[in-house]
Amino acid sequence: MSFSQNISIVHPEYFFITGLTDAPYSTYFYIFLFIIYFISVIGNLIVLLIIALHRSLHSPMYICVFNLALADIGEINALIPNMMKLFVFDSQYISYNACLANMFFVSFFITVQTYTLVVLAFDRFIAICLPLRYNAIVNNKFMAIVFSVIWIFNTCMVTMTTSMITTLSFCKSNVIESWYCDYDRMMRMPCNDSSIHQFMVFIIEAFFLVAPPFIILLSYVGIFLALCKITTWEGRFKALKTCVSHLLVVLSFYLPIISNIVVASSANAKIIGGTLSLTLPPMLNPIIYVLTTAKIKDLIRKMLNNRSAPIRANVSK
């Protein structure tokens, strides 16, 4: 191993990403990831274009969906192309700076995703619990401010946590037992004192991994209580229907993570489960919003009808 040393801090020139070790049929798994990548990029680009080009979708809820699609594209591009480069082309060494960049972008877009889900939960909570005040509380200006704060705050937080890695000394090993430059894994590797860093990891995980689902759960408790006050089942179903897409997106985001923590045992199983927990939601989110949102389905149907009209006219001639 080639190391560059600065006083007492030792930084390796390269890290070695282990990925799957001696896993049979791993090539098929990478092909599957490429399919996920292709569907994710195309699906989220379609959602972004539809929302950007149609003024009828320039509303608070679809601003949230737009930001979620941006975060999905960012995350999938930070993860899968790098994985293909490392494992498919058998080049598992990644430079120190490239590793920090990979860590930054993966962490950044995941945290943007989590807080976008929180904002969507808040949007549904106000829409159902305070419908008469919805337009006064939740509007485009409010969403623009909220997402500006989220993107700026996340940039500062992830920059701070990534820069903390540079204060750690990796003099024992440069092997990262993961599929990307995992912040949590790297915090276990240094040979100098990392107790402060471990404490920061605990704070960050609480702030980004525990608080968001807890807030989302609280919002749905409020929504459930509001639904109980609606006298007719038809009214309850109509109100709950507006939450279906968000609930499915939340489940697609958190269920794979929970399943990987609870079920996975071997190293390869954890890597496969961890990879899918980060790559499946960006693929599923646009599909969920296209299939469960009447406005988006209607716009796509109109676009397809408008494009097929000249073809039908030529055929009839």
Side-chain angles (χ1 to χ4, degrees):
M1 292 186 296
S2 174
F3 289 96
S4 62
Q5 185 167 350
N6 179 18
I7 311 175
S8 60
I9 304 299
V10 179
H11 293 162
E13 186 178 349
Y14 294 94
F15 285 107
F16 182 83
I17 311 291
T18 59
L20 296 173
T21 54
D22 300 324
Y25 311 114
S26 60
T27 303
Y28 296 106
F29 178 67
Y30 296 127
I31 292 172
F32 178 62
L33 286 182
F34 179 77
I35 294 170
I36 289 177
Y37 176 77
F38 180 79
I39 296 173
S40 300
V41 171
I42 297 300
N44 283 290
L45 281 176
I46 289 172
V47 170
L48 288 173
L49 287 172
I50 289 173
I51 294 174
L53 296 176
H54 292 86
R55 295 186 64 85
S56 62
L57 297 180
H58 294 181
S59 62
M61 177 182 168
Y62 294 104
I63 290 175
C64 294
V65 176
F66 186 90
N67 275 272
L68 184 63
L70 276 179
D72 286 341
I73 287 181
E75 184 199 337
I76 209 76
N77 277 292
L79 275 172
I80 293 185
N82 191 61
M83 287 185 66
M84 294 297 173
K85 173 180 172 293
L86 291 174
F87 304 119
V88 176
F89 299 104
D90 197 22
S91 176
Q92 291 171 248
Y93 285 97
I94 183 171
S95 70
Y96 181 84
N97 290 331
C99 188
L100 294 186
N102 177 246
M103 179 195 302
F104 173 86
F105 286 110
V106 173
S107 302
F108 175 76
F109 288 114
I110 290 174
T111 53
V112 170
Q113 277 183 318
T114 58
Y115 276 94
T116 301
L117 294 179
V118 172
V119 177
L120 277 165
F122 175 78
D123 175 83
R124 293 299 85 205
F125 174 80
I126 299 298
I128 293 174
C129 299
L130 302 169
L132 298 179
R133 298 183 60 191
Y134 178 81
N135 291 328
I137 298 173
V138 183
N139 50 50
N140 290 357
K141 182 180 179 181
F142 172 82
M143 285 298 179
I145 293 171
V146 166
F147 280 107
S148 296
V149 170
I150 287 174
W151 284 74
I152 293 170
F153 177 74
N154 281 7
T155 300
C156 295
M157 286 291 293
V158 177
T159 300
M160 182 188 72
T161 55
T162 304
S163 64
M164 287 173 62
I165 293 291
T166 61
T167 65
L168 298 177
S169 185
F170 299 91
C171 54
K172 293 181 181 178
S173 173
N174 67 341
V175 178
I176 302 175
E177 297 177 355
S178 186
W179 65 99
Y180 73 104
C181 291
D182 189 341
Y183 184 82
D184 184 54
R185 295 274 181 180
M186 291 182 69
M187 279 296 168
R188 304 174 192 175
M189 293 169 54
C191 52
N192 60 339
D193 182 23
S194 61
S195 54
I196 297 176
H197 302 76
Q198 294 288 350
F199 177 74
M200 284 301 299
V201 169
F202 174 78
I203 297 297
I204 291 163
E205 287 182 350
F207 202 82
F208 288 110
L209 298 180
V210 179
F214 181 72
I215 295 170
I216 292 170
L217 180 63
L218 283 181
S219 70
Y220 274 97
V221 169
I223 288 171
F224 175 76
L225 294 175
L227 291 177
C228 292
K229 295 178 182 178
I230 299 175
T231 54
T232 64
W233 281 103
E234 184 181 354
R236 292 175 185 175
F237 179 76
K238 186 178 179 181
L240 187 60
K241 190 178 178 182
T242 64
C243 300
V244 169
S245 55
H246 178 252
L247 279 171
L248 291 174
V249 168
V250 169
L251 290 175
S252 74
F253 185 84
Y254 285 108
L255 277 182
I257 295 174
I258 295 170
S259 300
N260 187 48
I261 294 171
V262 174
V263 177
S265 54
S266 67
N268 283 343
K270 279 191 175 294
I271 286 175
I272 291 173
T275 305
L276 294 178
S277 69
L278 294 182
T279 56
L280 283 178
M283 180 188 73
L284 295 175
N285 291 346
I287 296 172
I288 290 169
Y289 274 106
V290 167
L291 294 180
T292 61
T293 307
K295 275 190 176 182
I296 294 180
K297 282 196 294 186
D298 291 341
L299 285 171
I300 292 176
R301 196 178 296 114
K302 287 179 182 177
M303 290 168 61
L304 293 175
N305 288 337
N306 291 337
R307 291 198 172 191
S308 63
I311 298 174
R312 288 198 300 268
N314 290 332
V315 171
S316 64
K317 290 178 182 179

